[in-house]
Amino acid sequence: MCGGGEPLWGWGPRVPSPLLLLSLLSTAPLGLLGEETRQVSLEVIPGWPGLPQNLLHIRAVGTNSTLHYVWSSLGPPAVVLVATNTPNSVLNVNWSRLLSPEPDGGLMVLPEDSIQFSSALIFTRLLEFDNTNMFDAAAETPGKPYPPYSLAEFSWNNITGSLDPATLSATFQGRPVNDPTGAFANGSLAFKVQAFSRSGRPAQPPRLLHTSDTCQLEVALVGASPRGNHSLFGLEVVTVGQSPDCPSMQEQHSIDDEYAPAVFQLDQLLWGSLPSGFVQWRPVAFSQKQGSRESALPCQASPLHPILAYSLPQSPIVQAFFGSQNNFCSFNLTFGASTGPGYWDQHYLSWSMLLGVGSPPMDALSPLILGIMAVALGAPGLMLLGGGLVLLLHHKQCSEYQSIN
Ligand SMILES: *[C@@H]1O[C@H](CO)[C@@H](O)[C@H](O)[C@H]1NC(C)=O
Ligand SMILES: *[C@@H]1O[C@H](CO)[C@@H](O)[C@H](O)[C@H]1NC(C)=O
Ligand SMILES: *[C@@H]1O[C@H](CO)[C@@H](O)[C@H](O)[C@H]1NC(C)=O
Ligand SMILES: *[C@@H]1O[C@H](CO)[C@@H](O)[C@H](O)[C@H]1NC(C)=O
Ligand SMILES: *[C@@H]1O[C@H](CO)[C@@H](O)[C@H](O)[C@H]1NC(C)=O
Ligand SMILES: *[C@@H]1O[C@H](CO)[C@@H](O)[C@H](O)[C@H]1NC(C)=O
């Protein structure tokens, strides 16, 4: 599904292959690492008076590296991510250049030679498909496309009001500038951006495991009138890179669905070799604010294709940072299927992803699954486990005793 491989979406129980189990066991300890914390700050970079504030700088400082995430709704919503090998790198914005027809050099991370990796994502269009007569659930196409909404032709809010330093989050909320049918009269598209100073998991599904190297984006379409009774929505995403090759799409499979009910897959996009960037998501979207199994929709991703710059709306921040010589690739995400819950239920749709640099966070097996496996391993396994516990407790008692002395 997402990624175009064999479908892994479904509610039924699944039998993992021994290979999958083995690979999960061997990768499990990795998830326990990555305890590094960062000093994370969010800053709205003041623009010109009269224009809505629309440039958000997330700076995440570690012991000898700094990550910069620059999100903006100048043009289509976009993010530039830059990793440097110093705790002292800074973002430099020249507004007069950034807002000019040739923004090259309007956005810089200094010192330039500290940059280890840089890339960007642009969210170009909101797609809508008429899924009315798609009775074949396995159909490859989501239906007949309606004219897409260009996100470059949206007007976006002033993000200052939504900036929350406590949760390290801010929201870009927009609606079409021209809306002749009034589809967005009561609706909006929101991009909620959140950073993290340590690793963890949000309370809301799909509960992606994050680290301080990552940033989460939740896209929510709320209250907009669909053009059909059975509309499926989608998002066109463009990746930016210096290599002519598109980032590679990967699927990770898991037997463990404790954090994202009945979703046994994690999709990721990787830009070349390390240190490199990644995008990670579970192939699930939700049709209610309280994401649950009942409101879960499948999310499908098309393969990535190179795309020519002239066919894209210009993203000033991307051109300001990368100049005009770039390689763009695009892919489509579509949310929902002809059966099951959909946007039509409550006029609500949300989907989340993580963006980061370095090794993507990997789920270890959850305690629940480890417990089930211990039972499955039977008495000898339990005895081994028990023996380990006794040793552990014994050791703890000893150390407590020593500390009292
Ligand atoms: C970060 O700095 C420490 C101490 O100077 C050094 O030991 C470590 O190798 C550095 N890490 C990286 C990734 O450069
Ligand atoms: C910003 O860019 C403009 C136009 O390119 C240039 O004239 C100006 O000197 C720049 N400002 C700074 C502070 O570099
Ligand atoms: C944006 O919002 C902030 C606080 O809500 C306000 O102080 C600022 O003047 C606004 N800026 C613009 C350009 O509307
Ligand atoms: C928007 O909401 C108002 C008040 O709830 C309602 O009267 C109107 O019909 C709605 N418009 C659309 C396009 O849904
Ligand atoms: C949507 O459903 C209503 C009532 O079921 C029907 O009258 C209408 O023709 C349908 N619209 C479309 C575009 O299929
Ligand atoms: C995404 O969907 C739009 C609308 O259907 C289509 O024009 C475009 O070619 C698709 N892009 C990819 C990469 O499949």
Side-chain angles (χ1 to χ4, degrees):
M1 286 216 137
C2 263
E6 109 229 38
L8 247 193
W9 174 270
W11 307 121
R14 278 161 202 284
V15 182
S17 70
L19 199 69
L20 175 60
L21 252 174
L22 254 179
S23 76
L24 273 167
L25 280 174
S26 58
T27 56
L30 267 180
L32 306 174
L33 300 176
E35 273 303 301
E36 204 199 339
T37 60
R38 290 180 182 272
Q39 289 287 335
V40 180
S41 57
L42 261 73
E43 178 194 16
V44 177
I45 305 205
W48 277 3
L51 282 176
Q53 307 288 22
N54 53 22
L55 196 60
L56 175 73
H57 178 210
I58 298 174
R59 186 163 183 262
V61 184
T63 45
N64 37 16
S65 64
T66 306
L67 306 178
H68 300 269
Y69 292 94
V70 184
W71 293 86
S72 180
S73 56
L74 266 179
V79 55
V80 170
L81 79 133
V82 183
T84 65
N85 63 1
T86 156
N88 302 315
S89 59
V90 293
L91 177 74
N92 188 312
V93 181
N94 180 333
W95 277 99
S96 60
R97 203 173 283 190
L98 183 59
L99 296 177
S100 76
E102 278 169 26
D104 306 36
L107 204 69
M108 284 190 284
V109 169
L110 302 172
E112 235 164 328
D113 61 5
S114 71
I115 297 177
Q116 303 294 297
F117 175 78
S118 60
S119 185
L121 287 180
I122 313 172
F123 299 88
T124 43
R125 300 193 287 180
L126 175 67
L127 310 172
E128 186 178 352
F129 302 92
D130 177 10
N131 191 249
T132 312
N133 295 315
M134 309 297 291
F135 293 117
D136 179 7
E140 279 299 301
T141 63
K144 189 170 79 44
Y146 291 103
Y149 293 101
S150 168
L151 300 186
E153 288 151 33
F154 268 42
S155 78
W156 299 91
N157 68 333
N158 171 355
I159 51 170
T160 312
S162 69
L163 187 74
D164 182 0
T167 58
L168 300 174
S169 68
T171 304
F172 296 87
Q173 197 174 31
R175 44 182 58 83
V177 175
N178 295 308
D179 187 16
T181 61
F184 279 77
N186 294 329
S188 70
L189 182 67
F191 286 74
K192 180 178 178 189
V193 175
Q194 186 171 13
F196 310 97
S197 50
R198 58 183 65 251
S199 43
R201 256 177 229 284
Q204 282 293 311
R207 306 201 61 197
L208 282 169
L209 177 67
H210 57 245
T211 68
S212 59
D213 296 345
T214 63
C215 211
Q216 180 174 281
L217 170 68
E218 182 189 320
V219 182
L221 177 67
V222 184
S225 307
R227 282 172 279 187
N229 286 345
H230 230 73
S231 280
L232 293 192
F233 284 91
L235 199 58
E236 184 183 62
V237 186
V238 171
T239 64
V240 182
Q242 277 121 346
S243 143
D245 298 325
C246 290
S248 57
M249 185 92 82
Q250 288 187 352
E251 291 170 16
Q252 303 228 325
H253 297 172
S254 156
I255 55 163
D256 190 353
D257 68 343
E258 178 164 356
Y259 299 111
V263 184
F264 300 90
Q265 189 178 322
L266 186 68
D267 291 351
Q268 54 194 27
L269 214 60
L270 299 170
W271 275 274
S273 51
L274 291 170
S276 144
F278 62 86
V279 182
Q280 202 180 54
W281 67 90
R282 287 202 181 266
V284 62
F286 294 96
S287 64
Q288 285 176 28
K289 210 164 165 60
Q290 295 303 319
S292 66
R293 199 182 175 109
E294 290 69 40
S295 61
L297 321 173
C299 146
Q300 313 202 26
S302 75
L304 278 90
H305 291 299
I307 183 169
L308 295 170
Y310 74 82
S311 62
L312 289 173
Q314 188 190 296
S315 165
I317 61 161
V318 168
Q319 202 185 330
F321 185 82
F322 291 96
S324 22
Q325 292 300 310
N326 289 300
N327 295 288
F328 298 100
C329 295
S330 86
F331 68 103
N332 285 344
L333 292 160
T334 46
F335 310 110
S338 45
T339 55
Y343 180 76
W344 50 84
D345 292 332
Q346 301 199 349
H347 289 187
Y348 182 90
L349 177 74
S350 78
W351 170 80
S352 318
M353 61 160 239
L354 275 187
L355 174 66
V357 189
S359 309
M362 273 214 265
D363 276 319
L365 289 180
S366 66
L368 178 69
I369 294 288
L370 285 175
I372 292 172
M373 277 167 56
V375 171
L377 287 175
L382 277 178
M383 273 164 71
L384 259 171
L385 207 78
L389 247 143
V390 166
L391 273 176
L392 213 78
L393 286 174
H394 182 69
H395 180 80
K396 202 168 167 230
Q397 271 166 6
C398 283
S399 58
E400 266 164 14
Y401 180 69
Q402 274 158 10
S403 69
I404 291 167
N405 257 345

